[in-house]
Each structure stands twice: as structure tokens, then as C-alpha cells.
Amino acid sequence: MKKISVSCLLSVFMLFSCNTSDDSKIPDTSSEIINTPFTEGSVEMGIFSNDIDLGKLIGKIDFSKANVKEQYEQLIAHDAEVKAIFDWIANMGNQHPLAAWAVTLNIAECTYNIKNDEVVGKVRGFGWTMDNYYNKPQDQASLYLETLVQTDKIRDQDKTIFSSFKPSEHKGSGAINEVDFSQFNRETKSDKQVILGYACDVMVYTPKTLDENAPMQVQKLVVYTSPLFTDAINFAHPFYLEENQGILRLDIYYLNNETPTLVMKPKEIKEIKLTADDLTSRTAVPVYTQDDINWGFKALGIMMSGWGMLEH
């Protein structure tokens, strides 16, 4: 049942971010290499396409109002940042409609609050929010989803949903995209790359075989990990990989291009003291299990709710 519910999410959240920079050159704003472990603070994760920050759209539409479509049309007409996002998506759509659709559905931004081996990913999507929680020592994880849309297409009791599970029993359950990485070759690059001051090991995943009949599939995945970050943050990423270091960046290639289709990378890393609220996930009742098919379908409805308002 878990695979059925996860595949529902996979069908719409195929991509996470992208940019056009060469994967051997990572922009870095820090002139010094950091050598101390990151034990407490926050990481602002960006979602990019063609070096465009897709998260620039988040927060510019008030989904509590009835005129969502009108707000969207005004942004397209008058907001340069939003226009750049959708011009790029339209350009991609002319070449590969599935890739463009997937990028559209992955317009989001995320803050990871981290303390030792505990992390809460606070995700803000297009008309929805998510808390993705993982406590490694206690083997506890949970997902909270809430629509921000005022709609009668989702029952009131389904506008917020919550799932709790043990990651040791359901590895990768928190990931939006589930990939069987036993079907991939893993190569470690000899050179490290620096991401915001953190020297990272670089791994390249490539599929052992490619299905030529598949409309779109992962062609390559480049993973950047730091031993100074807990691997607990990997459970908050849209792709789950069993790396034993914290993943700071993912380059995802769905198209057979030299540049990645997607890139997830940090925009800011801050070592700060966190409050109890910073490390607390919202909850709701009932509490779904990860093998409940209802969870997947209701989560899909929430994640599509923002885009549904543009049909009115």
C-alpha cells in the first residue's frame, strides 16, 4: 500500500529544482572553509530552474481570498520575477511538456530547522504547507500537510492531514519522490566541491539501464554531502538517498542534457539557537499510517489545491 500512495505523489512531483550551471562549478559566497560540525541552526533550501528561484512566487498570492486566479494573472502581467518563472516554464514546455509540468508543480521553498540529529523541514508550496519531521535517535518521523486554499472541493476534515511513522520501518516515506536506487550505479568523484563554505563529497548516480519507452525518468543524479551535517536532513529532502552524510545539494537530470533539469541547493545556512517551537511539527487527527492509501490521495489533493484555483 505504501508504494501506491507514494506513487500518487510521484506522478505529480517528479522534479524539485534546476539550474544551468556546470555541475563542476558551484557558486559559493564564503571565502573560508568551515571545519566545525553544524549542530544547531537553520538551512534555507532553494528550488531553482535555469538559475531561476522558483520560490520567488511563494507568498505573493493570498490563497485565503477568492480571487486567486486574478492575483495570479496580475503577477504574470506585472511582476518581473514571476514572469521570468513562467516564461522559462513555457520555453521548457515547447521542448518537453512533462518536464515543464513537473517544474510547475515543484514551485516551493523550504526551511530546515536542525538540532543534532533532529530536523523539521518547513515547506511552503503553491497553496499548501508541510512540516516534515524526523528524530533519528527516537526513530520517529511525521508529515503534516495543510491546504491554504478556501475551497469546497476538499472536505474540511481533509484540509489538514497528518501521518506518523518509524523511518526504520518505512525508509524514504517522507520523500516526495521514491526511486529504487538499487537500480543505479554510484560513483564517487575525486574532487570535493564547496557549498556555502562546506567542503562536500560528490557522488554521481546513473541508472544501470534506461527504459527508452518511459516518457521521463532520472538520467543522472549528482549528490553533494558534507560530513559536518547530520544525515537526518536527508529525510527532509524530496528524494531519499541512503547517504551517511548530510546532503546539501541535489542535481537532478530528467533530460539527457549537459545541465541538470533540477537543483536543490541552500541559499543560506545559519548557526543559531532554536526554540522548542522551531523543532515542533504541527499535528492533526486522525493520524494516518504510511500504509494507508487514503493518506496518498488526500495529500495529492492538498498539493494540487493551489493550482486548482486557477481553473475558476
Side-chain angles (χ1 to χ4, degrees), residues 69-85:
K69 185 176 181 180
E70 181 181 340
Q71 293 180 64
Y72 171 81
E73 291 173 345
Q74 288 295 313
L75 285 172
I76 293 294
H78 304 292
D79 191 297
E81 290 178 334
V82 172
K83 186 176 186 301
I85 291 172

Side-chain angles (χ1 to χ4, degrees), residues 74-286:
Q74 288 295 313
L75 285 172
I76 293 294
H78 304 292
D79 191 297
E81 290 178 334
V82 172
K83 186 176 186 301
I85 291 172
F86 288 101
D87 282 351
W88 166 245
I89 291 173
N91 179 63
M92 181 183 290
N94 291 331
Q95 303 174 36
H96 202 297
L98 276 180
W101 177 235
V103 169
T104 302
L105 292 171
N106 280 276
I107 292 176
E109 60 184 3
C110 183
T111 302
Y112 294 165
N113 293 328
I114 304 163
K115 185 173 183 179
N116 300 320
D117 287 325
E118 186 177 15
V119 59
V120 179
K122 299 284 186 178
V123 187
R124 300 167 293 279
F126 191 78
W128 55 271
T129 65
M130 174 195 291
D131 290 354
N132 192 345
Y133 174 78
Y134 177 48
N135 187 315
K136 183 178 179 180
Q138 296 182 15
D139 192 25
Q140 293 181 349
S142 65
L143 285 171
Y144 171 92
L145 272 169
E146 177 181 353
T147 181
L148 303 176
V149 172
Q150 303 304 307
T151 177
D152 56 7
K153 292 184 178 180
I154 301 176
R155 299 187 306 170
D156 287 344
Q157 60 265 40
D158 294 334
K159 291 180 178 179
T160 60
I161 59 174
F162 181 72
S163 174
S164 180
F165 58 96
K166 290 184 178 296
S168 62
E169 298 175 2
H170 300 279
K171 288 188 175 181
S173 289
I176 293 172
N177 303 271
E178 184 180 43
V179 177
D180 182 2
F181 286 102
S182 67
Q183 302 302 312
F184 283 71
N185 296 310
R186 179 182 180 276
E187 175 191 0
T188 301
K189 294 293 186 179
S190 57
D191 295 334
K192 294 181 181 291
Q193 300 291 342
V194 177
I195 299 177
L196 295 185
Y198 291 90
C200 292
D201 296 317
V202 183
M203 278 67 62
V204 178
Y205 286 80
T206 52
K208 296 176 180 178
T209 59
L210 282 173
D211 183 358
E212 296 182 356
N213 296 318
M216 187 165 65
Q217 66 182 112
V218 175
Q219 305 282 323
K220 182 171 69 172
L221 206 70
V222 184
V223 185
Y224 306 80
T225 69
S226 168
L228 301 180
F229 276 78
T230 173
D231 63 355
I233 67 171
N234 302 346
F235 282 82
H237 292 328
F239 280 85
Y240 173 69
L241 296 92
E242 291 193 61
E243 293 287 344
N244 58 13
Q245 297 181 162
I247 297 172
L248 287 189
R249 173 170 168 157
L250 286 172
D251 293 357
I252 302 144
Y253 295 72
Y254 270 106
L255 306 177
N256 191 21
N257 295 337
E258 293 184 1
T259 55
T261 315
L262 315 167
V263 170
M264 175 197 75
K265 62 181 179 179
K267 296 191 289 186
E268 185 177 25
I269 298 175
K270 298 186 294 186
E271 292 190 82
I272 58 174
K273 289 292 183 181
L274 300 175
T275 67
D277 287 343
D278 293 330
L279 293 166
T280 301
S281 170
R282 292 168 288 179
T283 62
V285 291

